[in-house]
């Protein structure tokens, strides 16, 4: 007796499904949080974007010049072999734009920090924000926020201070900026210095730092001096305040250099752009505190498992909340570590979370290209990051990489999904026939190949096809052909 379905039944060619192909709980509904409104007096987004364009005009000008003069196929292009401008290139740009080489370099660095220029290894190329600069206010504001986030790189840090002390000030400045934003006006630097010193002490306490050496004798409080006609004098900063004063001065100058605040006459005031950006960051913290599924404090692996049964939009909200509560660098590292595990479902979900991270994750994702387990995911992530349509991003994969990804996704479905979903996953294979798929699956060498084929054979309703799949699983298991 033979099956009425041919053994080499044609596979319907469809575009690959999302990488996290495990089932979503369709009965879970996310409560909608009303969109927050910025504080009263905040300029409209179009006006804020105009301020950002003005602030970044020099950077955009240098980025456009580089795109025109140094792009592929230009007769006068030079290959600098690095993301920074070579001396000759900086001089050419200065002559063409009517600037000094130092101004060109400063604008180039700003363009890189704002994402107008994207660094890929040792080379740089125009970023998507530059393409959308004149028509997309959101892209402009995101570019300025990226510069705002990188304020500590925009101004040289003091050379005579320990890196640990500089890092403490950078970690403490969000609280200083929040105070400036809530004050809605000029704040004396002395008041900011007191707040910075308090926050640094809190950071050291959180790290459980214990001072070494003999205990200090308690300071003796001198008797108050008699009043004079000269009026009250500002006391000189002492102890920690004296050490932090030059670092606070550096931080305020750096934030002023990116347009986040004005600094002078012993006072600091947030600009409209700076006030709006700090409000955005505070809103992110509020979102994190209201994590929809309660995974904000979980490790990356546990958070991803908690998101496995959420709808895509709810999962992205959870990723955003989890990311907002952590430094970007450590969050990306944690997600990639989770992706390196044995659970294929977590691999797909980790890269979905990295899509929420966006550009800051790019260097680490590029490094993942060297790892066979992560390479197909990283290639798709980079293709979408570079502007490819998610529906077409799979075209960057080789046939072998696409097959490996098909097996990995099937493993996720087999572990966490249901039999009908695994059968439907068969339709997403790039191979036109089942025999071709089985041949290439056996050749790709995925460690879960046997388990995937056994699960597929058990789930498929066609006895003849199931038998062929079981035979292929046996051949992989025994090393036969």
């Amino acid at each position: 007796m033979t099956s009425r379905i041919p053994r080499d039944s044609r596979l319907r060619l469809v575009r690959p499904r999302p990488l996290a192909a495990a089932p979503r709980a369709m009965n879970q509904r996310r409560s909608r949080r009303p969109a927050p409104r910025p504080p009263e007096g905040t300029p409209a987004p179009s006006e804020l974007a105009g301020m950002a364009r003005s602030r970044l005009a020099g950077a955009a000008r240098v980025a456009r010049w580089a795109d025109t003069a140094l792009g592929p196929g230009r007769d006068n292009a030079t290959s600098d072999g690095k993301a920074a401008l070579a001396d000759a290139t900086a001089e050419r740009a200065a002559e063409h734009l009517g600037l000094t080489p130092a101004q060109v370099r400063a604008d180039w660095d700003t363009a890189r920090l704002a994402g107008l220029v994207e660094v890929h290894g040792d080379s740089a190329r125009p970023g998507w924000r530059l393409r959308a600069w004149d028509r997309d206010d959101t892209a402009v504001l995101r570019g300025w926020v990226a510069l705002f986030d990188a304020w500590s790189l925009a101004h040289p840090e003091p050379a005579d201070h320990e890196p640990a002390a500089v890092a403490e000030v950078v970690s403490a400045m969000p609280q200083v900026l929040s105070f400036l934003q809530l004050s809605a006006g000029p704040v004396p630097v002395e008041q900011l210095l007191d707040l910075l010193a308090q926050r640094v002490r809190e950071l050291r306490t959180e790290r459980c730092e214990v001072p070494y050496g003999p205990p200090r004798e308690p300071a003796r409080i001198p008797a108050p001096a008699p009043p004079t006609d000269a009026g009250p004098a500002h006391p000189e900063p002492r102890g920690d305040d004296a050490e932090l004063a030059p670092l606070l001065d550096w931080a305020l100058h750096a934030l002023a250099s990116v347009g986040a605040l004005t600094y002078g006459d012993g006072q600091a005031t947030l600009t409209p752009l700076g006030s709006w950006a700090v409000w955005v960051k505070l809103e992110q913290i509020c979102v994190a505190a209201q994590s929809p599924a309660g995974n904000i404090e979980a490790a990356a692996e546990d958070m991803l498992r908690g998101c496995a049964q959420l709808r895509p939009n709810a999962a992205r909200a959870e990723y955003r909340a989890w990311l907002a509560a952590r430094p970007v660098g450590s969050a990306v590292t944690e997600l990639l570590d989770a992706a390196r595990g044995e659970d294929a479902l977590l691999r797909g979900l980790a890269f979905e979370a990295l899509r929420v991270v966006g550009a800051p994750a790019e260097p680490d994702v590029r490094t993942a290209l060297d790892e066979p387990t992560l390479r197909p995911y990283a290639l798709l992530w980079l293709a979408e990051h570079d502007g490819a349509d998610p529906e077409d991003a799979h075209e960057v994969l080789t046939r072998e990489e696409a097959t490996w990804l098909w097996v990995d996704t099937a493993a996720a479905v087999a572990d966490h999904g249901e039999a009908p979903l695994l059968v439907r996953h068969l339709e997403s294979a790039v191979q036109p026939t089942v025999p071709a798929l089985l041949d290439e699956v056996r050749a790709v060498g995925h460690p879960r190949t046997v388990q995937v084929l056994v699960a597929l054979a058990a789930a498929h309703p066609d006895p003849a096809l199931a038998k062929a799949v079981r035979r292929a699983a046996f051949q992989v298991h025994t090393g036969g052909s």
Side-chain angles (χ1 to χ4, degrees):
M1 179 178 239
T2 60
S3 170
R4 288 175 294 177
I5 301 177
R7 291 174 185 265
D8 62 344
S9 57
R10 307 292 292 183
L11 296 180
R12 186 159 52 88
L13 293 179
V14 297
R15 297 187 185 278
R17 300 179 183 273
L19 301 185
R24 308 291 184 185
M26 301 305 294
N27 58 350
Q28 297 188 19
R29 294 185 179 181
R30 176 187 167 200
S31 59
R32 292 183 178 273
R33 179 174 181 257
R37 294 185 177 181
E40 186 176 354
T42 302
S46 58
E47 188 176 348
L48 289 169
M51 298 175 187
R53 283 190 179 93
S54 177
R55 169 62 60 175
L56 295 171
R61 188 182 181 196
V62 169
R64 286 195 176 104
W65 176 86
D67 185 24
T68 301
L70 305 180
R74 307 296 192 274
D75 293 337
N76 59 344
T78 61
S79 177
D80 300 325
K82 53 185 177 179
L85 291 180
D87 292 339
T89 305
E91 291 175 1
R92 282 176 51 203
E95 181 180 357
H96 186 271
L97 299 175
L99 303 171
T100 66
Q103 289 174 318
V104 169
R105 290 186 182 281
D107 287 339
W108 177 259
D109 290 340
T110 300
R112 292 172 59 187
L113 294 176
L116 296 173
V117 172
E118 295 178 353
V119 177
H120 298 267
D122 293 333
S123 62
R125 65 188 184 207
W128 68 271
R129 287 178 184 142
L130 184 64
R131 306 297 188 206
W133 197 249
D134 294 327
R135 56 180 170 78
D136 190 340
D137 289 346
T138 300
V140 174
L141 289 174
R142 286 180 178 177
W144 186 85
V145 170
L147 177 64
F148 170 73
D149 288 339
W151 65 264
S152 61
L153 304 177
H155 194 72
E157 65 186 48
D160 54 347
H161 285 80
E162 291 292 331
V166 175
E168 286 177 340
V169 170
V170 173
S171 299
M173 281 306 292
Q175 186 164 332
V176 175
L177 290 169
S178 298
F179 182 75
L180 279 167
Q181 201 268 344
L182 293 173
S183 300
V187 177
V189 173
E190 291 85 354
Q191 195 171 356
L192 297 179
L193 183 60
D194 288 342
L195 179 61
L196 178 65
Q198 176 184 345
R199 180 56 182 152
V200 168
R201 286 193 293 270
E202 291 173 354
L203 291 172
R204 291 172 180 173
T205 301
E206 291 171 3
R207 294 198 302 268
C208 300
E209 287 191 358
V210 179
Y212 292 93
R216 299 180 181 178
E217 295 184 1
R220 297 179 180 178
I221 303 176
T228 65
D229 296 335
H234 293 292
E236 291 294 328
R238 295 179 298 175
D240 290 342
D241 288 6
E243 296 175 2
L244 292 174
L247 290 174
L248 175 62
D249 181 71
W250 160 71
L252 293 176
H253 273 109
L255 286 161
S257 72
V258 302
L261 53 79
T262 58
Y263 176 40
D265 297 328
Q267 295 180 328
T269 309
L270 285 179
T271 63
L273 268 176
S275 179
W276 169 80
V278 174
W279 171 78
V280 169
K281 300 299 178 184
L282 290 173
E283 275 300 311
Q284 289 177 351
I285 294 173
C286 291
V287 171
Q290 299 174 14
S291 171
N295 294 301
I296 179 176
E297 297 181 359
E301 184 172 336
D302 294 333
M303 181 274 293
L304 294 171
R305 291 190 190 281
C307 293
Q309 297 300 318
L310 297 178
R311 292 180 178 182
N313 287 341
R316 281 191 289 271
E318 195 72 4
Y319 301 149
R320 282 193 293 269
W322 187 85
L323 291 165
R326 287 162 177 76
V328 173
S330 61
V332 170
T333 299
E334 206 173 332
L335 288 170
L336 286 174
D337 286 342
R340 293 185 178 99
E342 296 182 359
D343 194 331
L345 174 64
L346 296 191
R347 213 165 0 261
L349 292 174
F351 277 85
E352 291 294 334
L354 289 170
R355 284 174 172 81
V356 176
V357 177
E362 182 183 359
D364 294 281
V365 174
R366 287 195 176 278
T367 302
L369 291 174
D370 297 330
E371 303 179 44
T373 303
L374 303 183
R375 180 175 174 81
Y377 294 91
L379 285 170
L380 291 176
W381 189 99
L382 291 167
E384 294 179 24
H385 176 66
D386 289 342
D389 190 310
E391 293 292 323
D392 300 326
H394 67 283
E395 295 176 0
V396 303
L397 302 178
T398 66
R399 182 76 163 239
E400 183 179 2
E401 291 163 348
T403 303
W404 194 99
L405 183 59
W406 184 91
V407 178
D408 205 50
T409 306
V413 177
D415 289 342
H416 302 276
E418 299 173 353
L421 186 60
L422 185 59
V423 174
R424 288 199 300 271
H425 180 61
L426 188 63
E427 299 175 353
S428 68
V430 297
Q431 290 78 9
T433 66
V434 170
L437 170 65
L438 296 178
D439 287 344
E440 294 186 32
V441 164
R442 284 182 295 183
V444 81
H446 192 288
R448 295 290 306 279
T449 298
V450 173
Q451 292 92 331
V452 164
L453 293 178
V454 169
L456 181 59
H460 207 283
D462 174 21
L465 191 148
K467 181 178 180 181
V469 174
R470 277 194 299 271
R471 185 186 305 115
F474 179 77
Q475 291 170 344
V476 173
H477 177 65
T478 59
S481 58

